[in-house]
Amino acid sequence: MSETSSATAAGSASGAPPPEVTRLPPRQWVKENLFSSPFSSALTIVTSIVLLAIARALLSFIFNPIRQWNSTATNMQLFFTRAYPDEQYIRVWFSLAVIIVLTSISMAVWRAGSSIPLARLGRKLLAGAALLLLLALLAPFSASATIQWTLAAACVAVIGEGVRRSASKGGAERTVSSLTVLVVTLAGLVASLWVVPYGHHTYIPSRQPRVLAESGTVALTTKLPWTIMLLIAVAAYLMGGVIRERLPVNPTRITLLILWLLAPPVLIYLVLRDPSFDMGHVISTDLPIFAAYALGGSVILSWLTRPSTGEAGRILAVTILVVGFCTFLTPMRMVVRLDMLLLAIFALAAPTFAGGPRNRKRYVLGWLGVLGVMSWLITAINTPSTVSVPGGFFIGGFSITLMVAVFTIVLSFPLGIALALARTSTMPIFRLLATWFIEFVRGVPLITILIFFSIMVPLFLPRGMHLGEVAAVVIGYVLFSSAYLAENVRGGLQSVTRGQHEAADAVGMTTAQKTLFIVLPQGLRVAIPPLVGHCIGVFKETSLLAIIGVFDVLYIGRIVIPGQTEFMGSTKENLLFVSVIYWIFAYQMSKASQRLEQRTGLGER
Amino acid sequence: MTDMTPTEPTGNQTRDLSGARDMIVCENVSKWYGDFQALDGVSANIKEQEVVVVLGPSGSGKSTWIRCINRLEIHQEGRIVVDDVELTNDLRNIEKVRSEVGMVFQQFNLFPHLTILDNVTLAPIWVRKKPRAEAEAQAMALLERVGIPEQAQKYPGQLSGGQQQRVAIARALAMEPRIMLFDEPTSALDPEMIKEVLDVMKALALSGMTMMVVTHEMGFAKEVADRLFFMEGGQIVEQNTTEMFFSNPAEERTKLFLSQIL
Ligand SMILES: Nc1ncnc2c1ncn2[C@@H]1O[C@H](COP(=O)(O)OP(=O)(O)O)[C@@H](O)[C@H]1O
Ligand SMILES: [Mg+2]
C-alpha cells in the first residue's frame, strides 16, 4: 500500500519507467482492491477498525507510563549472556566478531543484496513517516510527546521526500545498494548507543545469588565494541569483495561453507570452555588413539576404495561394524568405540566412492577430517569448564538458547536423515531399529528425555568420561529432534516417484549412489517446509531448558527480572521483549527457507 | 558396431542374423503379481544387433516382460540370460547386467534436480568411474547425436517432451550399453514430437545396437524391426519376421489386433 500511494509521482518522475507491472494511481488502486464491491467495502472498513483498535491497545500497553521498560533495557546483559564473567567477556565479543566476519565475507562472495531504486526507498521512508504519525496520534501520549513524535514523523517524511526527489535527478533511474541502506541503518543504531542512555546496571550488590554484572561494566562498554563490530563488518565485506575478484569461485565457497560448519562448535567451545587443556591427557591418550585410527583407517579405506577389492571389502566393512558394536560389551574408552563405529560407516560406504587414485585420496582425506573433528569434539566435551560462577550454569539467556538450538539442529540433521533412510531401507534390522527408536522417542515427552539426560545419564557414564550438563541436555534434544526430523524426511523421501528409483536402478547405480544422488536431493527439497518448521520448533522449545535449571531467555524474562527488587512485577514488559527476540529469529528462518525453496526449485517445472 | 550393410533402403528384413550369438535368452519366464499371472511361460531368443518390436493390447504383459530383462521386475519361474549372465538374486550380476542394458521409459524419468549434462554424466562418473572431463566430452557427443547439444545446461523441466525423451536415450547410451530396451518411448509424447524420437531410435538401430522396443508405432516396426512379438494375456501369441508378421499373420488374435490398429 505504501508503495503504491505515491506511485504516480514516482512513475512520472523517473524519466522512462521500465514497463514492468503497470502501477495504478493510488485512488484507482484503492478502488479496485479495497472497494470493488459493497461487500469488499464493508470488509475493508471493518478490518481497518479492528486493526486500528488492536494497534491502539498495543500502543496503550507499550507507552503506558506505569510500564517499567527500563527493567528490559537495564537487563540486556542478563537477557543475552546471563552471568558470564566480565573479565572473560572478550571471548563473547570475539565469537561475535568471527560470526560477523564470516557473514560479511559470505555476503560479498555470494553477492548478497540487491539494488533498490532510490524512488522506492523514498516511498518506503514516506510510508515509515506515515506510520510514525499514526503512532503519534494513536498512542496515549501527553501533548508534548505527541508533538515530539509528530516532529520525528515530519523529519522522516522530509528525508523520504528528499530521497525521492533526488531519484529523478539526472534522468536515468538511480538506485542504491540494499547493503548500503543496511549499513547506514546499523550505523545509525550504533551511533545512537553513544547518545541515548539505553540503560545501566544500577543494582544493589546485596542480593544473592549474584548473577548480574556490576554497574557500568558491560552494558556501558557495549557502545565501543558495537562500533568496532560495525567497522569489522564493513572491512570484512570489502575484503570479501577482493576475495571474490582474486580467488577462484568454487574453492572459496566450499572453504566458506566448511568454516560455517566449523564455526558453531569452535565458538561455543571458545565461549564455554577453559582454554588451557589437560595437555598431559591429550598427549598420552587422545593423540595416540587419534593417530592409530588415522593411520589404520587410511590404510583400510584406501584398500577398500580400490575398484578391484570386491566382496572381501564388504566382508571387512561388516566385520569392522560388528567389532565396533562388540567394543560396547567391554570396558573401554568411549573414543575408541565411537571411532570404530565411524570407521565402520566409512568402510561400508567405501565401494560407492571407489575409483582412481584421486578419488581414493579424497576419500581418505575425508575420513581424516571427520575423524579429527569427532576426536576434537569428544576431547572438548570431556574437558570441564573452568569458567564458573556460583549457582550452576554460569551462562544463560539468549546465548544458551541459541547454542542449544544451533547444536541440536546441526547434529540432528544427519541423524534424522540416517534414521529416515534406515526406516525406509529394505534391510529389516535397520528398519526395525529405526522404527522402534522413532516411535519410542515420539511417545515420550521431551521433558522426560531432558530430565533423563541431565540427571540420569551422568550416573550411567563409564568411568573417565565426563559430560557437561549442557552437553547432556543437547544430546537429549538431538535424539528427540532427530526422531521427528526423520519422519519429515521420510515424507520427503516417499514423494520421490517410483520412476526416479527405476531410472537410477536402470543405469546401474548402487543403492547408496541412488540414495545420495537421486532420492535425498529430491526428497529433502520437498521436505524443506516441514524441516524448517521443525527447526523453528526446536528453537522455541529450548525454553524447556528452564525445567532442568538452565536459565534460558524466557525464564529470565518470566521469573528472574520480575523478581528483582527494583523491577517487581515487570513480567509483561519482559515477556513482550522476549517474544520479539524469538519472533525476529523465527521469522528470519522462515524467510531463509523461502529463499532456499526458490533457489533449489529453480530448475524444476 | 560398424559391420552393418547400409545398402538396404527398405529396412533390414533381409538381414541375416542367424549366425549371430544370442544376447537375450528367455526360457519359460513366468511372473505373478499376487494371484494374477502377468507373464506365462515366455520364451524368446534375441540375437546380437537384432531389433525386435513387442506388440500387444494394453495389460498384456509387455512392460512386465521388458522390465524383467534388467530386473526392475523379478521373474519367479524360468531363466533369463542377458549377454551370458543369468539374472539371479546375486547383486553383482544385477549390477553388471544393468550397466550393460540401457532402458528408456514411457515417462522419460529424467532426474529433475540435475542439468541435462549431469543427467547424462552421473552414471558414467559414479558407476563406470570415468573421469569427469571424459564423461562430459562423451555426454556432449551423445547430446549432439540426439540433436540437442545446446540444451546441456538446462534442466529437464525446461525441455519439451520429445527433447526429454532424447536426453533419456542419451543418458542410457552414456553407459555404453550393448542392449537398449524401450518401453513405449513415444506414448507420452505429442504427435509432432514422436518423429524426432523415432528418428533417433532408427539411427541407433542402424548403428547395430541390439534393441527391444515396445511400441504402437507400426511405421517404425515395419521399417526397423527384424522380428515382431505379439503378446496377449502374458503369453507370446505369435512371433515372426516383420514381413511375414504383417503380410501373413498366423493367429486369429494377431489378425484381430492388426485390423484394429492399422
Ligand atoms: N506392480 C503391479 N502389481 C500388480 N499388477 C500389476 C503390476 N504391474 C502390472 N500389473 C498387471 O500386470 C498386467 C501386465 O501389465 P503390463 O506389463 O504393464 O502390461 P502392458 O505393458 O502390456 O500394458 C496388467 O494386467 C497389470 O494390471
Ligand atoms: Mg506398458
Side-chain angles (χ1 to χ4, degrees), chain A residues 278-442:
Chain A
D278 180 358
M279 266 333 241
H281 185 268
V282 171
I283 291 177
S284 66
T285 317
D286 292 355
L287 267 185
I289 293 177
F290 171 75
Y293 271 102
L295 205 71
S298 304
V299 172
I300 292 175
L301 290 177
S302 94
W303 179 68
L304 282 177
T305 44
R306 211 179 289 197
S308 53
T309 308
E311 202 60 11
R314 283 181 198 178
I315 293 172
L316 179 66
V318 173
T319 312
I320 297 176
L321 185 66
V322 172
V323 171
F325 279 121
C326 286
T327 55
F328 281 84
L329 300 178
T330 54
M332 202 178 280
R333 289 201 163 273
M334 206 62 187
V335 201
V336 179
R337 300 168 175 166
L338 294 177
D339 284 356
M340 188 65 92
L341 288 183
L342 189 70
L343 180 61
I345 294 173
F346 266 81
L348 284 172
T352 306
F353 297 91
R358 247 185 80 193
N359 275 7
R360 292 168 54 198
K361 204 170 122 200
R362 226 184 275 166
Y363 195 64
V364 170
L365 283 180
W367 153 250
L368 290 179
V370 175
L371 180 72
V373 169
M374 198 169 94
S375 306
W376 175 77
L377 264 180
I378 293 173
T379 309
I381 288 180
N382 289 345
T383 312
S385 163
T386 57
V387 185
S388 60
V389 181
F393 297 98
F394 62 91
I395 194 170
F398 191 66
S399 49
I400 205 81
T401 300
L402 208 58
M403 280 180 192
V404 173
V406 166
F407 244 85
T408 305
I409 290 169
V410 168
L411 292 180
S412 60
F413 253 84
L415 193 59
I417 291 173
L419 278 173
L421 290 175
R423 196 170 182 181
T424 49
S425 118
T426 47
M427 284 192 245
I429 177 72
F430 283 153
R431 214 168 45 216
L432 214 63
L433 284 177
T435 312
W436 280 351
F437 176 81
I438 292 172
E439 294 308 333
F440 174 75
V441 170
R442 294 209 306 170

Side-chain angles (χ1 to χ4, degrees), chain A residues 314 351-355 498-500 502-510 513 517-518 521-522 603-605, chain B residues 67 70 72-73 91-92 95 98-99 101 103 105 109-113 122-123 126-127 129 155 157-158 171 175:
Chain A
R314 283 181 198 178
T352 306
F353 297 91
R498 190 161 152 228
Q500 291 292 312
E502 288 177 349
D505 285 339
V507 285
M509 287 190 201
T510 62
Q513 290 166 342
F517 300 130
I518 308 301
Q522 294 186 40
E604 292 169 43
R605 230 94 305 165
Chain B
R67 289 153 58 85
N70 64 352
L72 290 180
E73 304 286 355
L91 216 63
R92 277 170 304 170
E95 280 168 15
R98 280 180 178 165
S99 60
V101 178
M103 175 130 191
F105 301 87
N109 291 348
L110 293 181
F111 305 131
H113 61 298
L122 186 67
W126 290 98
V127 180
K129 313 284 183 203
Y155 286 88
Q158 298 167 301
R171 177 177 71 181
M175 289 295 289

Side-chain angles (χ1 to χ4, degrees), chain B residues 58-59 61-64 106 183-184 214:
Chain B
S58 173
K62 309 181 296 291
S63 297
T64 307
Q106 179 176 355
D183 189 1
E184 305 203 22
V214 177

Side-chain angles (χ1 to χ4, degrees), chain A residues 22 35 48 68 94 115 137 143 147 175 179 230 272 349 369 404 471 517 524 585:
Chain A
T22 43
F35 296 97
S48 313
Q68 311 178 39
F94 180 77
S115 59
L137 297 178
I147 292 174
T175 60
L179 291 179
L230 187 66
L272 285 184
V404 173
F517 300 130
L524 288 181
F585 276 78

